[in-house]
């Protein structure tokens, strides 16, 4: 029975990864087009989206080892995405607290949104890893 709940959890993780990759892709394209198609760096979220999209296929495999590796790589990509937007968080705080308007406020907002999406995904994956570990331990105790 615990193996079945782990599979359901894996399906949810694949769906969540798909949603994240679509959201990051849409965010990157929106940032690029709203910048007047002048800022190629606005497409950076699209790169994260492509990597996540590829990783989701490895998360669908029946091979538990490959699934675990893909999931951990996906978390590392999300950590990199959130970390890349750290400076934007500081700019936003300066804007809110001190009224110092950043030179590109629209870029700051897109970066904060990217960071929020990635951080949400990180928290989801941590909960997913914990539930899988508990299910695996329960399976081992049952044997």
């Amino acid at each position: 029975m615990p193996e079945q709940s782990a599979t359901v959890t894996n399906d949810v993780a694949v769906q969540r990864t798909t949603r994240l990759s679509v959201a990051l892709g849409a965010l990157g394209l929106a940032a690029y087009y709203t910048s007047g198609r002048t800022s190629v760096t606005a497409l950076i979220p699209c790169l994260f989206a492509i990597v996540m999209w590829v990783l989701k296929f490895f998360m669908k495999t029946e091979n538990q080892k490959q699934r675990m590796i893909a999931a951990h790589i996906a978390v590392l990509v999300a950590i990199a995405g959130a970390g890349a937007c750290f400076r934007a968080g500081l700019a936003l705080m300066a804007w809110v607290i001190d009224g110092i308007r950043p030179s590109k406020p629209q870029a700051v907002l897109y970066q904060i949104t990217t960071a929020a999406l990635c951080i949400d995904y990180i928290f989801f994956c941590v909960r997913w890893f914990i539930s899988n570990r508990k299910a695996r331990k329960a399976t081992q105790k049952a044997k």
Side-chain angles (χ1 to χ4, degrees):
M1 197 73 162
E3 186 62 31
Q4 187 178 17
S5 67
T7 304
V8 171
T9 306
N10 185 50
D11 291 342
V12 171
V14 169
Q15 291 171 357
R16 191 74 175 258
T17 304
T18 302
R19 278 186 258 154
L20 176 67
S21 63
V22 169
L24 288 174
L27 185 68
L29 290 173
Y32 179 68
Y33 283 106
T34 58
S35 73
R37 293 185 290 179
T38 57
S39 176
V40 179
T41 58
L43 291 171
I44 291 173
C46 291
L47 298 175
F48 287 109
I50 291 167
V51 172
M52 294 301 249
W53 189 265
V54 170
L55 287 171
K56 84 167 183 142
F57 291 107
F58 289 102
M59 291 170 71
K60 287 182 177 182
T61 67
E62 293 298 320
N63 185 334
Q64 183 180 2
K65 209 59 155 161
Q66 283 182 350
R67 195 169 53 232
M68 285 174 52
I69 290 170
H72 283 82
I73 292 171
V75 170
L76 287 174
V77 170
I79 290 170
C85 299
F86 179 73
R87 200 177 96 205
L90 296 177
L92 181 66
M93 286 193 313
W95 190 7
V96 170
I97 295 170
D98 296 331
I100 302 170
R101 190 169 193 257
S103 60
K104 296 179 180 177
Q106 189 175 16
V108 170
L109 294 176
Y110 281 124
Q111 290 172 3
I112 293 297
T113 305
T114 299
L117 289 169
C118 289
I119 290 168
D120 177 62
Y121 183 77
I122 293 165
F123 283 126
F124 166 77
C125 283
V126 168
R127 288 190 309 265
W128 178 46
F129 293 161
I130 291 169
S131 70
N132 279 346
R133 176 169 262 189
K134 285 180 182 178
R136 205 169 40 247
K137 282 184 179 181
T139 302
Q140 289 173 352
K141 282 185 181 181
K143 290 181 180 181

